[in-house]
Amino acid sequence: MSPAPSNPEVVDSLGRPILLGQQLGAGGEGVVYEVRQNSDKAAKVYLKALTQERVEKIRAMSRMPSDELRKRMSWPIDLLLHKRTGQPAGLLIPRVHNKKNVHHLYGPKSRLQDFPSADWRFLVHAAANIAIAFVKVHEANCVIGDVNHGSIMVGTDATVSLIDCESFQVNVEGRQYRCEVGIETFSPPELQGVTSYRNISRTPNFDNFGLAVMIFHLLFMGRHPFAGKFAGPANMPIPQAIKECRFPYSANHKAMQMDRPPGTPPLSFVGSEVAQLFETAFSATTVSGGRPTARDWAAALDRIEKNAKQCSVSKGHWHPGHLSACPWCAMEAQGANPLFPFVVPLPADGSKLDVDTLWRQIQNLPDLGNAPMIASQSKQPSARAVQAGRPSTIAKPAASLIGVAIFLGGSITFPPVFWLFAVAGIAAYNILLSQFTNDGRIVPFRSSHYDAERQFNNALSDWQTRAGPQPFITAKNKFEACRTELASIPAKRARALEALRQNHRKLQLDRYLDRFEIEDAKIDGIGPGRKGTLASYGIETAEDLTPNRILAVPGFGPVMNERLMSWRQSLEARFVFDPKKAIDPRDIINVEQQFQTLRLKAEAALKSALAEALQAHARILSIRQSGRAQLDLLQSALAQAKADLDFVRGQ
């Protein structure tokens, strides 16, 4: 079967025909075709005539010892010529099989569609493979130059291929062929605002910035590292933020007047080593050199992947091992689109946990009742109290009689100085009373009684709290609430699935709009920088576009809102509802994931409440057994102190 008539006729540098098959891809520069004679090769045919410098560059690259490069990227194999004219037409390259643009991996919505099994470990592994590909380029004395998501392809096994390699800056055969293109959202501060790259010699340090941006995209769910909220009076587009090194995730972000987008994890979530690599890569101090190398990144990413751990609630969530809480659950709880694949389906009949058996464990426990009462005790006066003696019954009357007699006798005999006899009478009363009563000896007994009473009351209050049934009752009530919540989940799930059927048209429209990614759209005034900002605020597809969400993004006012909504409305106008079409599995998965998360949380809370109830019951019994003796001792000490005090008081 001959090639399609519309395909160009080309030959290799030796004049051998290269039969072109179907198109594999197309861009502004050229079209990539399959090679019919060899399924492992592809042909890129340019739309415009190649310059002499580009021809020489392709030939020089094809002569390089490049087995390692061709294994990892579409490195030029040979120059292609137009069969009829012999003029340069393009190049022969290794074909990239079964890989998709890296943007489809780091964009959460496209990832669930194109990489349905990819979890965060996969993203880290792919990022490490990208870094290794950069290592190989730099080892070949080349610089990628135009780092961007369009030139990195990723397979379902996380393997990576670089494409458009003929745009690299190449140092070969004593000559430097420069990279003449670049994308501002991946270009370092020193290249922001450059209008022509033709006379710029790039270094690996330039690539190291773009690599850090790419890795950030992968680890932070498609967010651009320089998209954030600026506290200054004007907007802060991504290119300007890059130029001014305003990294909103930095520990120093306040001094830069930048905050990261809402609902995104802090830089620290990746761990101190990787966080420091980002800080260094995006710092103004490394503009002249010293950004982390591709090899630095590969090693650090390998370590973070090995230490990743699985979320206890959502089994599709993996995250850095040093975290105690899952950052993806937190993002989804704040309204983010589902970030990772759904792993374990919810059983149709609800929880598999035997709740009744757990409940019987609580019901079969012995009844606690209130904290046992501490019986009061009766004591005889101690030897110490008996030695102190009881007070004299006639001491006070006798002292009073003598004191009054002194006052009256003296006043009658010497009336002018009666007041002297009043003082003398009072003095005599006190002297006699101190001689014949034991008031002074009562003080230590009163103090002992006060201390014993205070210690006992404090211990009794603590006993009633710790030995009382309330902690057990609280845990039991918590278990009952969790049991009720768990029992309600199947009915709630059924209602949610029924709601999908009731909203069939809207859901079908949403899935239709999800097919149109903003990244691939041509919208007036919405370039790579603005697209990166939208993605960093969770707006990836036409379905995400609503006025409220658009206007919440820094730098997007009424004009940008109107353009974006007009694009969405133009897509909606082409939508045709098909009532016979089944509900999209992704919508069902979203519901299932939501209720699996609820079920797992309810089961975890139920188990926790059971453990709490069992522990509380056992703890109360233990306290009642071990703490009673001490309380009885304190009660005995109080009873003895009271008996002694009553004795010396004469009561």
Side-chain angles (χ1 to χ4, degrees):
M1 184 176 178
S2 61
S6 59
N7 289 350
E9 293 185 331
V10 296
V11 297
D12 65 14
S13 59
L14 298 178
R16 294 173 298 194
I18 301 296
L19 302 179
L20 306 183
Q22 67 178 1
Q23 289 189 17
L24 301 177
E29 196 174 45
V31 180
V32 178
Y33 298 90
E34 67 175 3
V35 173
R36 295 178 62 81
Q37 304 103 305
N38 191 330
S39 61
D40 289 329
K41 290 184 173 61
K44 181 173 182 178
V45 178
Y46 285 88
L47 300 176
K48 296 180 180 180
L50 278 71
T51 64
Q52 184 60 34
E53 184 176 13
R54 176 60 65 93
V55 171
E56 293 173 1
K57 181 179 184 181
I58 293 171
R59 284 176 171 158
M61 292 179 73
S62 68
R63 291 192 295 266
M64 291 177 63
S66 53
D67 289 344
E68 184 67 28
L69 297 175
R70 288 174 183 168
K71 186 171 67 175
R72 298 178 182 274
M73 52 201 80
S74 58
W75 196 265
I77 298 172
D78 197 3
L79 181 70
L80 295 179
L81 309 172
H82 287 289
K83 182 177 179 180
R84 293 181 181 177
T85 64
Q87 294 299 309
L91 64 157
L92 191 67
I93 53 178
R95 180 174 174 179
V96 176
H97 290 282
N98 303 319
K99 288 183 170 68
K100 292 186 180 292
N101 184 292
V102 68
H103 166 72
H104 291 267
L105 176 59
Y106 64 64
K109 282 193 171 182
S110 56
R111 177 171 61 251
L112 292 176
Q113 179 69 23
D114 297 327
F115 294 87
S117 300
D119 56 32
W120 194 72
R121 295 171 303 171
F122 185 98
L123 299 183
V124 175
H125 192 64
N129 285 341
I130 292 172
I132 292 170
F134 275 54
V135 169
K136 299 305 177 183
V137 172
H138 295 164
E139 286 179 346
N141 199 24
C142 299
V143 176
I144 294 172
D146 183 22
V147 177
N148 68 85
H149 56 73
S151 61
I152 300 175
M153 308 296 286
V154 184
T156 53
D157 57 355
T159 57
V160 168
S161 295
L162 305 184
I163 62 174
D164 298 331
C165 302
E166 69 276 15
S167 71
F168 290 3
Q169 176 179 290
V170 180
N171 298 291
V172 61
E173 299 174 354
R175 183 174 176 183
Q176 183 179 82
Y177 298 93
R178 296 192 175 109
C179 174
E180 299 181 6
V181 288
I183 292 182
E184 59 185 1
T185 51
F186 285 87
S187 294
E190 57 268 34
L191 291 183
Q192 292 297 324
V194 170
T195 56
S196 173
Y197 298 92
R198 185 172 181 80
N199 297 317
I200 296 178
S201 293
R202 306 196 202 188
T203 68
N205 197 53
F206 288 66
D207 279 358
N208 293 339
F209 180 88
L211 174 61
V213 172
M214 184 61 65
I215 293 172
F216 193 94
H217 272 301
L218 285 162
L219 270 55
F220 282 78
M221 304 297 103
R223 269 59 178 178
H224 192 284
F226 285 88
K229 186 176 182 181
F230 181 50
N235 293 324
M236 183 57 63
I238 288 176
Q240 185 178 347
I242 293 175
K243 185 176 183 178
E244 298 175 6
C245 299
R246 295 181 185 269
F247 179 37
Y249 294 79
S250 172
N252 196 34
H253 69 99
K254 290 297 184 184
M256 302 173 187
Q257 297 182 279
M258 295 290 286
D259 280 309
R260 67 181 192 272
T264 54
L267 186 64
S268 59
F269 107 91
V270 292
S272 58
E273 181 184 17
V274 175
Q276 188 55 50
L277 290 179
F278 281 125
E279 292 273 21
T280 305
F282 300 140
S283 170
T285 61
T286 55
V287 167
S288 58
R291 293 187 179 112
T293 67
R295 196 176 295 279
D296 293 333
W297 280 110
L301 292 168
D302 180 65
R303 284 188 285 272
I304 197 174
E305 180 189 358
K306 288 178 179 177
N307 292 323
K309 69 180 180 182
Q310 191 175 35
C311 173
S312 61
V313 174
S314 182
K315 300 305 179 182
H317 291 179
W318 286 78
H319 56 77
H322 71 279
L323 297 178
S324 58
C326 176
W328 316 129
C329 285
M331 286 182 67
E332 290 179 352
Q334 293 178 39
N337 295 319
L339 300 173
F340 290 103
F342 182 65
V343 174
V344 182
L346 179 72
D349 56 350
S351 174
K352 293 298 184 182
L353 194 66
D354 191 346
V355 180
D356 291 338
T357 298
L358 301 183
W359 176 239
R360 282 195 294 271
Q361 289 186 49
I362 296 178
Q363 292 291 82
N364 292 337
L365 294 172
D367 182 48
L368 289 172
N370 294 325
M373 297 295 294
I374 305 300
S376 58
Q377 303 179 38
S378 178
K379 295 284 186 178
Q380 294 299 317
S382 66
R384 175 169 163 261
V386 173
Q387 183 179 4
R390 298 173 67 84
S392 171
T393 56
I394 64 170
K396 284 187 179 180
S400 299
L401 182 62
I402 292 173
V404 170
I406 292 173
F407 170 69
L408 292 177
S411 297
I412 293 171
T413 306
F414 301 103
V417 290
F418 73 92
W419 53 272
L420 287 175
F421 295 101
V423 172
I426 293 172
Y429 171 81
N430 288 329
I431 292 171
L432 291 171
L433 195 63
S434 64
Q435 291 293 320
F436 298 104
T437 67
N438 65 347
D439 283 358
R441 285 167 284 177
I442 291 176
V443 172
F445 291 96
R446 184 181 295 113
S447 176
S448 295
H449 180 266
Y450 173 81
D451 290 340
E453 187 175 46
R454 177 177 55 79
Q455 292 178 26
F456 175 75
N457 287 339
N458 289 342
L460 181 63
S461 176
D462 182 63
W463 165 263
Q464 290 171 340
T465 299
R466 297 171 62 237
Q470 194 55 49
F472 172 70
I473 293 172
T474 300
K476 183 179 177 181
N477 291 341
K478 187 186 298 184
F479 183 95
E480 290 190 85
C482 294
R483 184 174 65 148
T484 301
E485 172 64 22
L486 193 59
S488 71
I489 288 177
K492 291 180 179 178
R493 171 177 169 268
R495 288 195 295 271
L497 291 173
E498 176 60 28
L500 294 182
R501 288 183 278 275
Q502 297 294 329
N503 296 315
H504 194 185
R505 186 185 188 284
K506 180 183 182 303
L507 291 172
Q508 205 173 109
L509 172 61
D510 289 346
R511 289 303 166 215
Y512 166 80
L513 293 173
D514 262 341
R515 290 162 43 195
F516 300 94
E517 295 190 13
I518 297 171
E519 178 64 36
D520 300 327
K522 294 182 179 179
I523 307 171
D524 185 32
I526 311 294
R530 290 188 181 277
K531 290 177 180 178
T533 300
L534 288 170
S536 294
Y537 279 76
I539 301 176
E540 300 177 60
T541 70
E543 191 275 330
D544 295 322
L545 293 172
T546 63
N548 287 342
R549 293 190 68 180
I550 296 169
L551 295 174
V553 179
F556 284 77
V559 173
M560 292 295 108
N561 175 67
E562 183 178 355
R563 291 176 183 175
L564 289 165
M565 291 306 299
S566 294
W567 176 65
R568 172 182 166 134
Q569 290 158 9
S570 70
L571 298 173
E572 287 184 7
R574 303 202 298 266
F575 168 71
V576 178
F577 173 57
D578 182 0
K580 297 180 181 179
K581 187 176 181 180
I583 294 173
D584 193 295
R586 287 174 293 175
D587 292 314
I588 297 175
I589 284 173
N590 287 343
V591 170
E592 297 288 19
Q593 187 163 9
Q594 174 189 351
F595 283 96
Q596 178 190 258
T597 300
L598 286 177
R599 178 176 64 86
L600 291 174
K601 286 183 177 179
E603 287 182 352
L606 191 78
K607 293 175 183 177
S608 175
L610 172 66
E612 187 177 337
L614 296 177
Q615 291 169 7
H617 192 277
R619 185 171 58 251
I620 291 168
L621 291 179
S622 175
I623 290 170
R624 290 182 180 184
Q625 183 176 5
S626 62
R628 179 65 178 265
Q630 179 64 25
L631 203 62
D632 285 340
L633 287 175
L634 292 175
Q635 168 62 36
S636 176
L638 175 61
Q640 186 64 64
K642 184 176 186 308
D644 289 350
L645 181 61
D646 288 346
F647 179 82
V648 297
R649 280 178 170 175
Q651 296 178 354

